[in-house]
Amino acid sequence: MAQVRSKNTTPEIAVRKAAHALGLRFRLHRKGLPGTPDLTFASRRVAVFVHGCFWHRHDCDRATSPASNVEYWAAKFDRNVRRDARNAADLRKAGWRCVRIWECETKDAKKLAVILRRKVVSMPKVP
């Protein structure tokens, strides 16, 4: 698992490119926020997490479970999901909107642009 990157992943870079193409400007991996969001749009107070379907248990084909050491993996996945929910709740308490983009949603650039327009661009700017 040491080879699994947490920053600058292929799906994250796809989201960055799509956001930049839409004219959005953002900060990366803001440490002062719960969960260290992958992208933050401060003017809209939107925090974006780009989640891998396998690690964060999305309801798609990529979220398979290993056949060996089942108890370990079940506990690990459960901890990941609980941590994600806790981080999202903490962000909401701090006045941020939390957006989750799944790895499988980053495969098609046009669909990703639609998702970003709907989840980020449509959010009003905070005065």
Side-chain angles (χ1 to χ4, degrees):
M1 281 190 282
Q3 296 295 324
V4 178
R5 293 181 294 166
S6 61
K7 294 181 181 177
N8 303 319
T9 62
T10 303
E12 182 183 326
I13 291 171
V15 173
R16 286 188 213 168
K17 286 181 179 181
H20 198 271
L22 291 172
L24 298 171
R25 299 301 176 254
F26 49 85
R27 295 283 176 243
L28 298 175
H29 313 293
R30 214 163 136 191
K31 292 182 182 179
L33 294 175
T36 313
D38 297 311
L39 287 82
T40 53
F41 301 90
S43 65
R44 290 175 165 83
R45 294 196 55 92
V46 174
V48 175
F49 291 95
V50 182
H51 284 325
C53 297
F54 175 78
W55 295 105
H56 298 271
R57 309 317 292 163
H58 186 223
D59 187 24
C60 73
D61 297 343
R62 296 173 184 269
T64 60
S65 294
S68 62
N69 208 359
V70 176
E71 292 173 6
Y72 167 80
W73 286 105
K76 173 141 187 74
F77 294 145
D78 185 53
R79 284 192 310 270
N80 288 352
V81 170
R82 281 187 283 135
R83 183 185 63 237
D84 293 341
R86 186 175 58 248
N87 288 336
D90 290 346
L91 280 166
R92 281 191 295 276
K93 286 179 190 173
W96 287 78
R97 289 169 282 204
C98 184
V99 172
R100 181 178 300 152
I101 297 179
W102 293 101
E103 173 187 8
C104 61
E105 295 175 329
T106 65
K107 299 303 175 189
D108 184 351
K110 289 181 182 178
K111 288 182 183 177
L112 181 57
V114 170
I115 291 168
L116 284 172
R117 276 191 207 99
R118 189 179 74 236
K119 292 184 176 182
V120 178
V121 176
S122 66
M123 299 289 183
K125 290 189 177 186
V126 179

